[in-house]
Amino acid sequence: VMTAPRPSVRFLDRRTPPHIATLVAVTGLSALTMNVFLPSLPAMTDWFQTDYRLLQLSVSLYLGVSARLQIVIGPVSDRFGRRSVLLWSFVLFLFATAGTLLATDVATFLVFRMMQAVVAAGMVLSRAVIRDMVPGDAAASMIGYVTMGMAFVPMVGRRDGGSSARCGRMSPELRGCGTGHRGAEHTNAT
C-alpha cells in the first residue's frame, strides 16, 4: 500500500503546514485558559466583592459557550479556512482576555470570560489540521502529541495560576510578594 508523502514543514513559514509544536501550543492554550485562573477564584471573590458561587459561573458559562462553539467552528473553518478562523479566534481571545483583566465588576468579567471561550477553536482545529495534513497512522501519532500537550498544560497552569494569585493584583495583602515587603493594605492594618 502506497502512502502519500508527508508535507514539508518549516517552522513559522506560512507557506507550509503548521509545525507540530505550533499545534501543541494552540491546543495547550485552549486547555490553559480553562485552568490557569481556578486557584484565583477565592481572591477574585474578594476583589469583586461578590459571592463565590457567582464567580463559579465563570467556569460553567465558559464551558457552555465553548461546547456550543465547538459545534460551529468546524463548518465555519470549512467555509473560511482553518488558518483564518484560528487567527481571528485568537484575536478575539486576546481582546476578551484584556477585558477580563480590566473588568471592574463581576458582570463585565463574566461577559469577557464567556468571550474567551472562542479559544476552543485551537482545540478543534489543531486536530482538523492534522487530519488534513497527513493520512491515518501518522495523523494518529500527531494527534497523540497534541493530546499529551493538552493533558500536561492544565497541571502547569494551575500551579502557575496559584503563584500569580499569591503575587498578583487579585491578592492585595500579598502585593509585595517576592520583594520581602508586605502589601500596603496589610501593613496599615497591623
Side-chain angles (χ1 to χ4, degrees), residues 1-5 135-137:
V1 175
M2 202 166 163
T3 60
D137 291 343

mmCIF file of all heavy atoms in Angstrom, residues 1-5 135-137:
data_model
loop_
_atom_site.group_PDB
_atom_site.id
_atom_site.type_symbol
_atom_site.label_atom_id
_atom_site.label_comp_id
_atom_site.label_asym_id
_atom_site.label_seq_id
_atom_site.Cartn_x
_atom_site.Cartn_y
_atom_site.Cartn_z
ATOM 1 N N VAL A 1 0.846 -1.180 0.000
ATOM 2 C CA VAL A 1 0.000 0.000 0.000
ATOM 3 C C VAL A 1 0.887 1.237 0.000
ATOM 4 O O VAL A 1 1.771 1.382 0.842
ATOM 5 C CB VAL A 1 -0.913 0.010 1.258
ATOM 6 C CG1 VAL A 1 -1.697 1.283 1.317
ATOM 7 C CG2 VAL A 1 -1.798 -1.186 1.252
ATOM 8 N N MET A 2 0.661 2.093 -0.931
ATOM 9 C CA MET A 2 1.465 3.291 -1.060
ATOM 10 C C MET A 2 0.794 4.443 -0.307
ATOM 11 O O MET A 2 -0.405 4.652 -0.419
ATOM 12 C CB MET A 2 1.579 3.641 -2.541
ATOM 13 C CG MET A 2 2.731 4.488 -2.865
ATOM 14 S SD MET A 2 2.896 4.422 -4.657
ATOM 15 C CE MET A 2 3.907 5.811 -4.865
ATOM 16 N N THR A 3 1.578 5.158 0.495
ATOM 17 C CA THR A 3 1.026 6.280 1.238
ATOM 18 C C THR A 3 1.546 7.585 0.666
ATOM 19 O O THR A 3 2.635 7.639 0.085
ATOM 20 C CB THR A 3 1.419 6.210 2.738
ATOM 21 O OG1 THR A 3 2.837 6.247 2.829
ATOM 22 C CG2 THR A 3 0.877 4.955 3.379
ATOM 23 N N ALA A 4 0.774 8.626 0.849
ATOM 24 C CA ALA A 4 1.179 9.948 0.360
ATOM 25 C C ALA A 4 2.343 10.458 1.202
ATOM 26 O O ALA A 4 2.393 10.211 2.398
ATOM 27 C CB ALA A 4 0.002 10.911 0.443
ATOM 28 N N PRO A 5 3.285 11.147 0.586
ATOM 29 C CA PRO A 5 4.406 11.677 1.359
ATOM 30 C C PRO A 5 3.930 12.784 2.308
ATOM 31 O O PRO A 5 2.959 13.478 2.017
ATOM 32 C CB PRO A 5 5.347 12.240 0.291
ATOM 33 C CG PRO A 5 4.486 12.508 -0.894
ATOM 34 C CD PRO A 5 3.370 11.489 -0.827
ATOM 35 N N PRO A 135 -2.055 11.288 6.449
ATOM 36 C CA PRO A 135 -3.013 10.189 6.463
ATOM 37 C C PRO A 135 -3.010 9.421 7.790
ATOM 38 O O PRO A 135 -2.112 9.592 8.624
ATOM 39 C CB PRO A 135 -2.533 9.295 5.314
ATOM 40 C CG PRO A 135 -1.078 9.582 5.194
ATOM 41 C CD PRO A 135 -0.894 11.008 5.612
ATOM 42 N N GLY A 136 -4.003 8.576 7.981
ATOM 43 C CA GLY A 136 -4.267 7.692 9.103
ATOM 44 C C GLY A 136 -3.289 7.540 10.243
ATOM 45 O O GLY A 136 -3.419 8.193 11.269
ATOM 46 N N ASP A 137 -2.308 6.625 10.101
ATOM 47 C CA ASP A 137 -1.408 6.297 11.207
ATOM 48 C C ASP A 137 -0.564 7.494 11.644
ATOM 49 O O ASP A 137 -0.361 7.725 12.830
ATOM 50 C CB ASP A 137 -0.484 5.138 10.835
ATOM 51 C CG ASP A 137 -1.243 3.828 10.712
ATOM 52 O OD1 ASP A 137 -2.385 3.764 11.217
ATOM 53 O OD2 ASP A 137 -0.694 2.883 10.109
#
